Amino acid sequence: MMDNPRDRLRIFLPMRPAALPDAQRLAAWARRSGMDVRVELVATLPDSSATALAIGEFANAAGWITSSCRTHLPAGDWASLRDWANAHLPVCDVPLSLFNDNGSTPEVLPGEYWVEDGTPCAMSLHMAPPEWSLLQRARARDTRLALAESCTGGDLAARITALPGSSVLLRHGFVTYSNEAKIQLLKVQEATLSRVGAVAEETALEMLAGALHEADIAAAITGVAGPGGAVPGKPVGTVCIAWGARGMEPQVRTCHFHGDRWSVQYAAGSVALGGLLGLLR
């Protein structure tokens, strides 16, 4: 049987791709529907007989779109990406997203698993990034967010502010990398840090309380992203994440992520987003 180019999908990204997480999520969806997928970083868009999607800025994009099987979309336009997927990918059941440090299915992205209906704590995001879904839900409720980040170094705030319109959601973010910053900016108790250290659920909860002073919802992240920094009982990948809303009992959990420094940081941000989305169900 001859190979059908329409059973293959090539996704092209610039050499510094802002849309890599979106491309990885789209590739997972295409594989789920039975397509063979390649995500490629290229300087200029190459010829392709397979179904091809370019995401981001390319100097030769205008001349490249000479075939009905080729599409070019700007980075960050999630609505257009979703519409393209619905129009061009084979139909399959839309999965639910579960944000966790340990799933029974392969990770779509660090900290994010696609699961079947009936899985506890899973939510329907229709393939959207969790930060995009949070922005839409918060906009509908006029909800303002604050973040307190330690090991993620502001990465979660960066994921949110990469979205157009993020100013309606994010009020402020604290990058409290040192213990001194946690004490001065978030009012974490010095006694708490002396007793349990920076990577502890009690510390995460105090960071959360400090961030919530002038916001409706907040999340706090503190952990060991690696490759160094591990201490007895707290290996690399140990991250404490707290989230909550004004007037509600806060939630906190300790996660144990795997992978390199970026993977741990990205996964921590995704689990925090999952917790925040749960507040706005």
Side-chain angles (χ1 to χ4, degrees):
M1 185 174 71
M2 295 187 63
D3 183 35
N4 184 355
R6 293 193 176 277
D7 291 334
R8 302 196 309 272
L9 171 62
R10 298 178 71 183
I11 303 174
F12 299 116
L13 301 172
M15 300 304 290
R16 297 183 65 184
L20 181 57
D22 284 347
Q24 289 174 294
R25 189 174 284 104
L26 179 63
W29 174 260
R31 293 188 184 103
R32 182 182 175 91
S33 66
M35 297 187 75
D36 177 48
V37 188
R38 290 174 60 188
V39 178
E40 305 173 51
L41 303 184
V42 297
T44 58
L45 292 168
D47 191 23
S48 174
S49 60
T51 300
L53 174 65
I55 307 174
E57 296 297 323
F58 294 95
N60 66 326
W64 181 77
I65 310 172
T66 57
S67 168
S68 60
C69 67
R70 301 177 188 172
T71 305
H72 174 239
L73 295 175
D77 186 351
W78 170 249
S80 294
L81 186 63
R82 179 186 55 197
D83 291 345
W84 182 92
N86 287 332
H88 291 84
L89 298 185
V91 176
C92 67
D93 292 337
V94 178
L96 304 180
S97 293
L98 178 68
F99 299 96
N100 208 323
D101 58 337
N102 185 23
S104 58
T105 58
E107 288 179 307
V108 178
L109 285 162
E112 180 179 353
Y113 301 85
W114 281 353
V115 296
E116 302 303 324
D117 193 16
T119 304
C121 300
M123 56 191 72
S124 177
L125 303 184
H126 300 285
M127 289 175 53
E131 56 269 29
W132 186 89
S133 296
L134 181 65
L135 175 59
Q136 306 315 306
R137 295 187 189 188
R139 176 181 288 152
R141 302 185 185 193
D142 194 25
T143 300
R144 302 305 297 270
L145 168 70
L147 300 172
E149 302 183 62
S150 184
C151 66
T152 48
D155 279 356
L156 180 51
R159 286 172 63 175
I160 292 171
T161 56
L163 300 173
S166 56
S167 60
V168 304
L169 167 62
L170 186 62
R171 182 175 180 85
H172 50 222
F174 301 92
V175 178
T176 53
Y177 209 67
S178 68
N179 284 353
E180 291 77 12
K182 292 178 179 65
I183 294 168
Q184 294 172 10
L185 298 178
L186 297 173
K187 309 306 179 186
V188 174
Q189 297 298 307
E190 188 171 356
T192 301
L193 293 167
S194 298
R195 186 175 70 257
V196 298
V199 183
E201 292 187 358
E202 190 172 345
T203 301
L205 285 169
E206 292 190 13
M207 292 171 63
L208 176 69
L212 262 176
H213 276 307
E214 295 187 27
D216 304 305
I217 60 174
I221 304 172
T222 180
V224 185
V231 298
K234 299 176 184 178
V236 169
T238 303
V239 183
C240 299
I241 304 170
W243 60 90
R246 283 191 184 185
M248 294 177 59
E249 188 72 19
Q251 300 179 60
V252 64
R253 62 169 303 174
T254 299
C255 296
H256 299 280
F257 300 114
H258 62 273
D260 60 13
R261 184 176 179 84
W262 177 86
S263 296
V264 172
Q265 292 172 325
Y266 193 92
S270 290
V271 172
L273 286 166
L276 291 168
L277 281 165
L279 297 174
L280 301 180
R281 281 181 183 270

